[in-house]
Amino acid sequence: MNRLFALLLAGWLAVPFVVQAQESPLTVQKIMQDPNTWIGASPSGPFWSEDGQTLYFRWNPMGQFPSDSLFMVARDGDEPVKVSPDERRNPGPTFNGWHHGEHVYDASFSRKVYQRDGDLFIYNRAARDRGRLTHTRDRESNPRFTPDGTGVIFTRDNNLYRLDLSSGAVRQLTDVRSGQAPKEKKPDEQDALLEAQQTELFEYIREQQEEEDLREEARDRDREAADPPPAFYLGNKSVQQLQIDPTERFVSFVTSSRPSQAKRTKAITYVTESGYAEELSARPKVGVPGTASDLYVQDLERDTTYRINLHQLPGSYDVAEYLREQGVEVDSSKTRRTLFSFGPYWSGDGRYAVLEVRTRDNKDRWIARLDPETGDLSVLDRQHDEAWIAGPGISWFGGGSDMGWLPDNRRFYFQSEATGFSHLYTVDVETGAVAQLTSGEFEVFDPQISQDGRMWYFTSSAVSPHARHFYRMPIGGGTPVQLTTMDGNNAVALNPDGDVMAIRHSFTNRPPEIFLQPMQAEPARITHSQTDEWLAYDWRVPEIIRFEASDGAMVPGQLFVPENPNGAAVLFVHGAGYLQNVHRWWSGYFREYMFHNMLTDLGYYVLQLDFRASAGYGRDWRTAIYRHMGGRDLQDYVDASKYLGATYGIDPERIAIYGGSYGGFITLMALFTEPEHFGAGAALRSVTDWVHYNHVYTANILNTPATDSLAFARSSPINFAEGLEDPLLMPHGLIDLNVQFQDIIRLTQRLIELGKENWELAVYPVEGHGFQEPASWTDEYRRIFKLIEDNVGPNRIARDAAPAQGGGER
């Protein structure tokens, strides 16, 4: 009787989960439909006209156009109107900062020179009119004024030219040519004999030779009068970063050649217009040999060209710690690291030149002063990181870093993580004195200088790592003044006069909109983009929490709390590794955000983390995964599972984990190496073996397979597939050129050979790394939702209870 009662009781307890199932007004199909017509297309890319009277932005209100169109609004905030086709085809110059020292403007800021559609134009800011400088079939680019404002320097066909603004005359400043320098052909003995005989016999030939000699002498005199630039032959190399200093004495350029053994990967697309399968070319894999590059300087005054030896910099032969652990010693013949440079960045008066020099292993970055006459380098700042150099304002691979000159043409600014957070610095190039302008446990983004050179403007996370605000600060440093007031993310385009901010603002549950805010005034909303249908749902603002990880660190998370919990939870893992998703603004994962609202309606706790390696928390957080992806980052999710258990009583077998790209990788590592903390997982477009991923991202974190095989072995899920115990879904786009389909196919074969059964591969034939088609999104998330419902949600409870009710086997 007792056993029968227990069986009846078990069956009775299971009934409420089935009969009283919770509902949501959201469905996967609704969430995954075209966002432009369902949510509404948000405006993007605001920018000002050069006169500061008009703000432009891309927009497609309520999805009424085939694609985003250009809109404009007056600075006083009238209703935005669509730009006419004629104005769109013939736009004026746009404002994108004052570019001190770069001579985009003349010295008085009264004129601007710019390029559009391969031709050059000049704009008079007072008269608000523009004139065309070139109208050619060639493509002119990178224009700038000469310091005295009488000419414009520009690039055409990989060479520099000078246009005289008074006469219109164009003079070639450089002569960089492809191929090899021509060699004078010397006649052999027979040809020399015949030529001498012809000259001796025929007066006609002697007269022709005399005339040619006279013509050659005239050409030499003309060349000397024109002062032609020295020719430089590239051979089979290409040229980049071609520039001339403001005094027009020194030309600099970088030559590079890609190694012939740089094998590229392939992908196949099957759904094609032709009906035939087509091959697509993609990136090389990690460990590919690097591009060899050299920096050259031409001294036009001395008519000489020479290569700058970057390895004169102290520390350029240093051996990385992981190599020293393997017994590698300093030996220039074996440890000569590949160095490459960006710049020179010339001061506006031409007195100083600064280089940014990086190592290919990205463990060193030098800011160095270049003496162009001698080729000598002197270090102004060196940043070394045994992991990798990066952070806001600092590129992962060099170039694109936020740096430049202050208007005094003596101080150079840059960003550095020397204190653990990316801050703004200047260095006096003459004395070498470095000054830190901002400080604290926050980061600085996109610094720019006011027209008068007295103020900085920048975005910062000073208020909170989960918000972004716009600030003003004196040029020499001091207390930053916060200019934006709305909570969330405030991406500001400042008008040329510096008195009106165009703000692309968003909050957790509201997509971006455009606001105009004069200084010392309240922001006024200009656009309204969301549909009534989308706004009808009460979208949640999840709580931002911090819980203590097993190493004592406080991990930030965003937690959706259901009103009527069903005893299950879902963990979401963002992609890209170095990305932030715990914040108070509209997420790039907006589909996932809506999906999480639906899950919360149905009783699930949903938790997403800014796990170790995420952006927004400084250098130590960023580099915590060095040489072991799937180590500390995964442990943060293991600790999140424990947190949900301790705080809300959730059994780890009722916790699902999912994510895409890097998030898919973490999901695989979770199910393969820590299965006791999770009940199911969906690994979308996941990296399964880092040996097969790209070089730029992977080598920063894991070095290369040839030099650090241990890092790759312990970081690659395919090596741990035998640990799979729980249900696994693996959706992947067939034409993914980033995490390629070969990646998931190799893991599939591994699972087959291991005899694993509880997994599913879902293939999307027309999708790449980021899905595009609503039908694909819908199918993918229907499968994810089914995985969750069946394996950690109410269906699992009903399924587990069914054998007890019927007395069958479990």
Side-chain angles (χ1 to χ4, degrees):
M1 290 292 293
N2 290 339
R3 182 174 182 273
L4 176 61
F5 178 77
L7 291 173
L8 291 172
L9 179 63
W12 177 76
L13 288 173
V15 169
F17 292 101
V18 177
V19 176
Q20 298 180 4
Q22 299 179 60
E23 295 183 354
S24 172
L26 303 174
T27 65
V28 170
Q29 187 170 9
K30 176 179 283 190
I31 289 169
M32 298 301 163
Q33 62 185 301
D34 182 355
N36 286 342
T37 55
W38 152 234
I39 304 173
S42 292
S44 63
F47 62 91
W48 289 94
S49 61
E50 184 63 39
D51 60 13
Q53 299 304 303
T54 307
L55 177 72
Y56 295 90
F57 53 90
R58 307 291 301 181
W59 196 27
N60 187 6
M62 303 305 165
Q64 59 184 293
F65 305 111
S67 60
D68 285 1
S69 296
L70 188 64
F71 279 73
M72 65 181 186
V73 63
R75 61 175 284 160
D76 58 9
D78 292 338
E79 286 295 316
V81 297
K82 188 179 179 185
V83 173
S84 68
D86 182 63
E87 185 176 354
R88 191 171 64 250
R89 286 190 293 266
N90 300 282
T94 60
F95 177 73
N96 61 345
W98 292 110
H99 302 280
H100 287 275
E102 297 180 24
H103 298 295
V104 174
Y105 296 90
D106 62 14
S108 63
F109 291 100
S110 61
R111 295 175 299 165
K112 180 178 184 177
V113 62
Y114 65 100
Q115 174 267 342
R116 174 154 291 133
D117 297 329
D119 286 317
L120 305 184
F121 296 83
I122 192 168
Y123 180 74
N124 187 309
R125 300 185 68 244
R128 297 182 182 176
D129 63 9
R130 62 175 174 156
R132 180 186 287 271
L133 296 179
T134 65
H135 197 176
T136 69
R137 297 179 64 179
D138 294 316
R139 186 171 188 84
E140 290 92 21
S141 62
N142 304 319
R144 66 170 178 82
F145 285 102
T146 57
D148 61 8
T150 63
V152 169
I153 307 293
F154 64 92
T155 303
R156 175 194 290 163
D157 192 25
N158 281 332
N159 274 295
L160 293 171
Y161 293 79
R162 187 187 194 278
L163 169 67
D164 187 285
L165 291 174
S166 60
S167 67
V170 174
R171 180 166 65 93
Q172 186 170 343
L173 300 178
T174 64
D175 188 8
V176 179
R177 309 179 187 182
S178 60
Q180 304 293 333
K183 295 181 180 179
E184 183 179 355
K185 184 180 178 181
K186 296 182 178 180
D188 59 26
E189 186 176 329
Q190 182 183 23
D191 290 343
L193 177 63
L194 291 173
E195 185 176 323
Q197 184 188 42
Q198 295 294 93
T199 303
E200 182 181 351
L201 287 173
F202 300 108
E203 183 179 352
Y204 167 77
I205 291 179
R206 292 193 295 274
E207 291 174 352
Q208 292 284 52
Q209 290 174 343
E210 290 173 2
E211 290 180 10
E212 177 58 31
D213 290 342
L214 292 173
R215 283 193 295 269
E216 183 61 32
E217 290 174 5
R219 284 193 292 266
D220 288 343
R221 287 194 298 272
D222 290 342
R223 279 194 293 267
E224 290 175 5
D227 191 22
F232 184 88
Y233 289 87
L234 294 168
N236 60 356
K237 297 182 178 181
S238 59
V239 64
Q240 296 90 28
Q241 303 184 58
L242 178 66
Q243 56 181 314
I244 193 167
D245 83 289
T247 70
E248 297 182 35
R249 174 181 172 181
F250 297 104
V251 173
S252 63
F253 54 89
V254 171
T255 65
S256 61
S257 58
R258 183 168 295 279
S260 58
Q261 62 269 41
K263 297 178 182 177
R264 303 193 71 83
T265 53
K266 305 290 183 183
I268 302 292
T269 177
Y270 291 95
V271 182
T272 63
E273 185 175 350
S274 68
Y276 289 89
E278 297 175 4
E279 188 176 75
L280 305 175
S281 178
R283 53 156 177 83
K285 298 185 179 185
V286 61
V288 63
T291 300
S293 64
D294 290 295
L295 171 65
Y296 286 88
V297 169
Q298 281 187 343
D299 185 339
L300 301 182
E301 185 176 292
R302 294 186 294 165
D303 193 14
T304 183
T305 303
Y306 39 93
R307 185 179 67 86
I308 304 300
N309 175 23
L310 300 179
H311 281 85
Q312 65 185 277
L313 291 168
S316 62
Y317 292 103
D318 286 357
V319 176
E321 182 179 346
Y322 82 96
L323 291 173
R324 293 198 302 271
E325 292 173 358
Q326 301 174 28
V328 177
E329 299 177 356
V330 176
D331 178 351
S332 61
S333 66
K334 296 180 180 178
T335 62
R336 183 183 178 93
R337 291 192 288 171
T338 300
L339 272 59
F340 50 95
S341 65
F342 296 89
Y345 299 88
W346 289 96
S347 60
D349 57 10
R351 290 185 62 197
Y352 303 109
V354 171
L355 289 177
E356 180 193 20
V357 180
R358 304 289 285 266
T359 55
R360 189 167 190 257
D361 65 11
N362 202 15
K363 300 183 189 302
D364 280 284
R365 175 208 201 194
W366 294 267
I367 309 295
R369 178 179 172 181
L370 167 68
D371 183 335
E373 190 168 354
T374 64
D376 291 339
L377 297 174
S378 52
V379 177
L380 300 171
D381 181 78
R382 179 188 176 188
Q383 298 167 52
H384 174 78
D385 198 315
E386 283 295 339
W388 72 97
I389 301 288
I394 309 167
S395 167
W396 278 49
F397 43 87
S401 301
D402 286 325
M403 57 178 58
W405 287 95
L406 270 61
D408 62 10
N409 288 322
R410 178 160 165 165
R411 288 175 293 170
F412 189 80
Y413 73 86
F414 60 95
Q415 287 188 240
S416 168
E417 281 189 322
T419 64
F421 290 84
S422 184
H423 281 292
L424 186 60
Y425 294 76
T426 61
V427 57
D428 185 315
V429 176
E430 183 64 37
T431 67
V434 176
Q436 182 177 349
L437 303 187
T438 60
S439 62
E441 293 190 356
F442 61 88
E443 297 177 318
V444 170
F445 308 85
D446 306 319
Q448 54 183 295
I449 300 173
S450 62
Q451 180 183 350
D452 62 13
R454 298 172 59 189
M455 290 290 172
W456 286 105
Y457 292 97
F458 55 81
T459 301
S460 174
S461 57
V463 168
S464 163
H466 313 298
R468 296 288 183 270
H469 284 285
F470 194 62
Y471 293 81
R472 180 179 61 222
M473 182 181 73
I475 196 71
T479 302
V481 176
Q482 183 179 325
L483 301 176
T484 50
T485 58
M486 296 179 287
D487 192 14
N489 190 0
N490 298 274
V492 173
L494 189 65
N495 79 328
D497 295 329
D499 58 359
V500 180
M501 296 180 289
I503 308 171
R504 187 173 186 260
H505 172 266
S506 73
F507 191 63
T508 307
N509 62 348
R510 287 294 178 267
E513 299 286 6
I514 300 294
F515 292 74
L516 284 177
Q517 180 180 347
M519 297 297 180
Q520 287 78 48
E522 293 298 313
R525 183 171 171 177
I526 300 302
T527 61
H528 295 78
S529 306
Q530 283 76 62
T531 66
D532 291 339
E533 181 185 13
W534 191 83
L535 289 169
Y537 181 85
D538 187 17
W539 299 101
R540 291 172 174 83
V541 179
E543 178 186 359
I544 292 181
I545 65 166
R546 286 180 180 261
F547 64 88
E548 186 173 356
S550 53
D551 66 348
M554 300 303 294
V555 179
Q558 206 167 31
L559 180 65
F560 294 75
V561 178
E563 291 184 9
N564 300 299
N566 65 9
V570 175
L571 295 170
F572 174 66
V573 192
H574 71 66
Y578 190 60
L579 178 147
Q580 186 175 5
N581 199 38
V582 176
H583 47 59
R584 288 293 189 219
W585 61 82
W586 185 246
S587 175
Y589 291 102
F590 60 88
R591 293 181 179 86
E592 290 78 358
Y593 167 75
M594 294 187 290
F595 184 57
H596 297 162
N597 273 268
M598 186 189 86
L599 291 175
T600 309
D601 287 342
L602 299 175
Y604 293 92
Y605 289 89
V606 181
L607 177 59
Q608 57 191 24
L609 309 180
D610 276 343
F611 51 90
R612 242 62 69 91
S614 297
Y617 307 93
R619 181 267 172 197
D620 290 348
W621 204 265
R622 171 176 62 80
T623 62
I625 60 169
Y626 176 57
R627 299 189 70 204
H628 192 184
M629 291 192 273
R632 190 61 256 176
D633 44 4
L634 172 59
Q635 287 306 306
D636 287 345
Y637 273 91
V638 170
D639 293 336
S641 175
K642 294 177 181 178
Y643 167 81
L644 291 171
T647 309
Y648 301 104
I650 301 175
D651 188 319
E653 286 301 312
R654 297 200 61 197
I655 297 176
I657 183 170
Y658 88 102
S661 194
Y662 198 95
F665 152 73
I666 288 291
T667 299
L668 292 176
M669 291 295 275
L671 267 60
F672 292 174
T673 67
E674 300 281 358
E676 65 271 24
H677 299 289
F678 311 96
L684 293 59
R685 53 192 181 275
S686 55
V687 178
T688 70
D689 188 345
W690 290 106
V691 173
H692 291 263
Y693 198 52
N694 70 34
H695 183 88
V696 171
Y697 178 83
T698 314
N700 274 292
I701 305 172
L702 301 180
N703 303 307
T704 68
T707 62
D708 203 353
S709 58
L710 172 62
F712 282 83
R714 66 187 175 191
S715 300
S716 296
I718 198 168
N719 297 327
F720 304 97
E722 66 275 8
L724 179 63
E725 298 176 0
D726 298 304
L728 169 64
L729 171 66
M730 302 182 298
H732 213 106
L734 185 65
I735 53 174
D736 190 336
L737 301 183
N738 183 8
V739 182
Q740 296 167 2
F741 196 63
Q742 182 192 20
D743 225 319
I744 203 65
I745 289 298
R746 293 177 70 250
L747 178 60
T748 299
Q749 179 63 23
R750 180 72 177 142
L751 294 173
I752 291 170
E753 293 181 1
L754 287 169
K756 299 295 181 179
E757 298 180 356
N758 208 6
W759 58 271
E760 176 189 354
L761 174 65
V763 180
Y764 296 88
V766 301
E767 298 294 355
H769 194 61
F771 282 18
Q772 299 294 322
E773 297 298 320
S776 301
W777 281 106
T778 301
D779 183 88
E780 181 180 46
Y781 273 77
R782 277 176 177 164
R783 293 174 187 272
I784 296 170
F785 182 50
K786 185 176 187 301
L787 176 84
I788 293 169
E789 289 274 86
D790 288 351
N791 295 285
V792 303
N795 293 352
R796 175 189 176 114
I797 301 300
R799 185 185 68 242
D800 288 351
Q805 291 175 296
E809 296 181 359
R810 293 187 66 84

